[in-house]
Amino acid sequence: MAIIELRDLEYQYEESDEKVLKGLNKKIHQGEWLSIIGANGSGKSTLSRLFNGLSQPTGGSVLVLGKKTTEEDSLQMIRREVGMVFQNPEHQFVAPTVRDDIAFGMENAGVPREVMLERIDEVSRWVNIEHILHMEPHRLSGGQKQRAAIAGILALRPQVMVFDESTSMLDPNGRKEILETMNRLCRESGLTIISITHYLEEAFMSDRIWFMKAGRIEKDVTTANIPDQLEWMEAEGMPLPYKYQLYREAKKRRIDIRTLRTMVEGE
Ligand SMILES: Nc1ncnc2c1ncn2[C@@H]1O[C@H](COP(=O)(O)OP(=O)(O)O)[C@@H](O)[C@H]1O
Ligand SMILES: [Mg+2]
């Protein structure tokens, strides 16, 4: 069974006269890391809010573990199984310390106290925040904040985590930390990851890429063969990571890749 399935999914904002999502049919599988890329306004964030029932479809449906997000009885399960990490975690913190904040979410979910303490230890180890558990969330660096927010969600044991441009406000180090966290969660803990990003090098780390354009999923490609994808990405005006730009340029000019290596590395 797909962990998330989109069936003829449509979405239209009330005050708008055009659909933002136009009939999406897709399945997302357990344990995969899916990236969603596409220009501003193509519908990525709208779609991400439909994954866990934060918004409801205006046409078609979204199923999480076989249950429609519109079913009142399933919504609580769905919200727990699909965690969301946004661009700015600031507004997600409610408690005076990181530790209390993680505990607060679990308290709300009715997790027993002994289990809570164990989970705080466990998730802080996973995302490397053991040393900042006593700190006030607003005093943390961007990357630490984002990791603390991730810990709060992980403590609820979701099967899917959705990241909507969660690295875009971070410096390169902070970004690297979050990406390493995503990678570990997916590869070692089997979490299903959906990450919306405008950094292609991040998308290339995942298993599969959806390219959204004007409310449709125009491409659904595996990252097993990145060189085959570079041409359309370039044609869509996406800035390729440097090493791929170099590769494309060399190919265009028919420079042998081995020659390039010699040029870069010396004889
Ligand atoms: N709350 C809203 N009300 C009306 N239109 C919206 C709202 N949020 C987003 N939109 C419109 O929906 C389209 C898709 O937006 P969004 O899902 O945020 O795209 P992306 O995340 O890919 O930039 C855009 O045209 C945007 O202007
Ligand atoms: Mg967005």
Side-chain angles (χ1 to χ4, degrees):
M1 185 175 53
I3 199 152
I4 296 183
E5 184 174 353
L6 315 179
R7 285 193 192 154
D8 302 319
L9 175 64
E10 293 181 349
Y11 191 83
Q12 181 162 1
Y13 287 98
E14 250 172 46
E15 59 274 35
S16 156
D17 44 33
E18 210 202 336
K19 290 190 182 89
V20 169
L21 301 176
K22 301 167 183 166
L24 312 185
N25 283 289
K26 285 288 171 201
K27 286 182 180 171
I28 300 169
H29 302 286
Q30 184 130 34
E32 76 176 332
W33 179 355
L34 168 73
S35 300
I36 306 179
I37 61 174
N40 279 341
S42 56
K44 305 180 299 295
S45 293
T46 304
L47 176 59
S48 76
R49 287 191 297 270
L50 286 152
F51 285 138
N52 79 341
L54 272 180
S55 307
Q56 292 294 359
T58 54
S61 47
V62 176
L63 289 90
V64 175
L65 294 161
K67 304 282 186 194
K68 285 188 182 169
T69 55
T70 45
E71 288 167 17
E72 202 57 50
D73 293 347
S74 308
L75 203 53
Q76 205 184 349
M77 172 282 283
I78 288 172
R79 294 256 166 90
R80 196 177 53 234
E81 295 294 359
V82 184
M84 305 279 293
V85 183
F86 298 99
Q87 190 173 50
N88 183 354
E90 206 84 55
H91 65 275
Q92 291 184 53
F93 298 115
V94 290
T97 67
V98 173
R99 181 192 296 279
D100 291 346
D101 199 81
I102 301 171
F104 181 81
M106 285 192 281
E107 248 163 45
N108 272 350
V111 177
R113 191 160 171 79
E114 323 81 71
V115 181
M116 268 171 52
L117 297 175
E118 265 169 42
R119 290 231 192 129
I120 292 176
D121 280 352
E122 186 185 71
V123 296
S124 7
R125 250 182 289 122
W126 284 352
V127 302
N128 188 25
I129 55 163
E130 292 149 299
H131 56 297
I132 53 170
L133 280 173
H134 63 283
M135 284 178 67
E136 292 172 43
H138 73 268
R139 290 191 179 272
L140 306 177
S141 72
Q144 289 173 331
K145 272 183 198 152
Q146 210 47 303
R147 284 188 346 256
I150 293 170
I153 298 165
L154 284 176
L156 305 176
R157 294 277 163 89
Q159 293 197 49
V160 184
M161 294 266 280
V162 182
F163 296 84
D164 188 357
E165 309 227 2
S166 310
T167 63
S168 60
M169 290 172 68
L170 306 180
D171 60 22
N173 265 337
R175 185 175 308 143
K176 191 159 158 261
E177 286 167 3
I178 298 302
L179 282 172
E180 278 167 5
T181 305
M182 285 188 201
N183 194 46
R184 231 173 328 112
L185 289 172
C186 180
R187 310 300 176 205
E188 290 169 26
S189 309
L191 210 77
T192 306
I193 304 238
I194 303 173
S195 62
I196 297 171
T197 180
H198 58 260
Y199 296 106
L200 280 181
E201 66 262 48
E202 289 185 19
F204 289 155
M205 286 176 67
S206 68
D207 302 316
R208 186 176 165 199
I209 302 177
W210 289 356
F211 169 59
M212 288 197 67
K213 194 171 180 181
R216 293 201 168 81
I217 298 169
E218 284 260 314
K219 298 255 183 202
D220 176 356
V221 298
T222 142
T223 53
N225 210 345
I226 294 171
D228 286 354
Q229 312 303 337
L230 300 175
E231 197 161 338
W232 69 260
M233 287 178 169
E234 215 177 17
E236 291 291 349
M238 284 183 258
L240 298 181
Y242 186 65
K243 70 176 177 189
Y244 296 101
Q245 281 179 34
L246 202 61
Y247 171 83
R248 290 281 302 148
E249 223 26 63
K251 221 174 155 194
K252 264 186 234 159
R253 295 175 193 211
R254 297 178 189 282
I255 296 174
D256 179 52
I257 305 295
R258 275 161 305 187
T259 312
L260 196 64
R261 184 135 131 223
T262 316
M263 279 163 57
V264 172
E265 291 177 359
E267 297 301 320

